[in-house]
Amino acid sequence: FLASASLFLSAADDLKTSPLYRADAVERAALALSLKADEWYDLALRSHAEGSTDLFEQAAARSLELLTRVDLLMEAHPCHRMDRWIAFARAHGVTDQENNTYEANARKIVTYWAAGVQNYSCRVWGGLVRDYYREWLWREFDALRSGKTFDANSFMLEYVRGSGTSPF
């Protein structure tokens, strides 16, 4: 995938005026960065398990930095943004209660469906990366540092019950 992303992005000079190419380029670059963030995340977990604190901190910081860059890229995508997804969902409600229910359901679709079925759709969207995936990793790393257990289910439920996206 990384080789294909690089090859695809090498056509930028010829295709940069095409809105479709730009959208695909943003998405491919973000997915490539996501794969790299995953590698650093794995290294952080291995380093922590092996007691290598310095390497753990370096790998954790790098994975979070890469997710920040993924989010920045995806905010430039014309469609793949969490604020857009939430707005579509909320637009169908008549009352505040319906709007809140529709937003919670929209959040569930892209994150937590039920215990044991989470991150099934694994969307790489602006806003979702920073508020869900990056926040998840930050909390998980913080729990590892403090020797506490990270409660992923509580975090996911908290996210589903939330509202909107954090400021870009």
Side-chain angles (χ1 to χ4, degrees), residues 82-140:
M82 192 63 182
D83 60 345
R84 189 171 186 266
W85 179 252
I86 290 171
F88 284 150
R90 293 186 74 83
H92 294 286
V94 175
T95 66
D96 286 342
Q97 183 178 358
E98 280 182 343
N99 286 335
N100 294 340
T101 298
Y102 290 156
E103 179 176 350
N105 288 339
R107 288 169 170 270
K108 282 181 186 177
I109 289 169
V110 297
T111 59
Y112 179 77
W113 289 10
V117 185
Q118 60 268 1
N119 301 321
Y120 178 75
S121 69
C122 192
R123 310 287 170 94
V124 180
W125 288 353
L128 182 62
V129 172
R130 74 176 166 269
D131 291 345
Y132 185 73
Y133 293 111
R134 189 183 185 287
E135 182 68 16
W136 175 314
L137 260 60
W138 185 86
R139 290 182 186 201
E140 185 177 355

Side-chain angles (χ1 to χ4, degrees), residues 22-24 26-27 72-81:
R22 287 195 314 266
D24 287 348
V26 163
E27 191 169 359
L72 289 169
L73 273 170
M74 292 311 294
E75 282 291 338
H77 196 280
C79 301
H80 300 323
R81 294 189 326 271

Side-chain angles (χ1 to χ4, degrees), residues 10 29 50 58 71 122 158:
S10 72
E50 295 167 1
Q58 177 188 3
D71 189 72
C122 192
E158 175 187 329

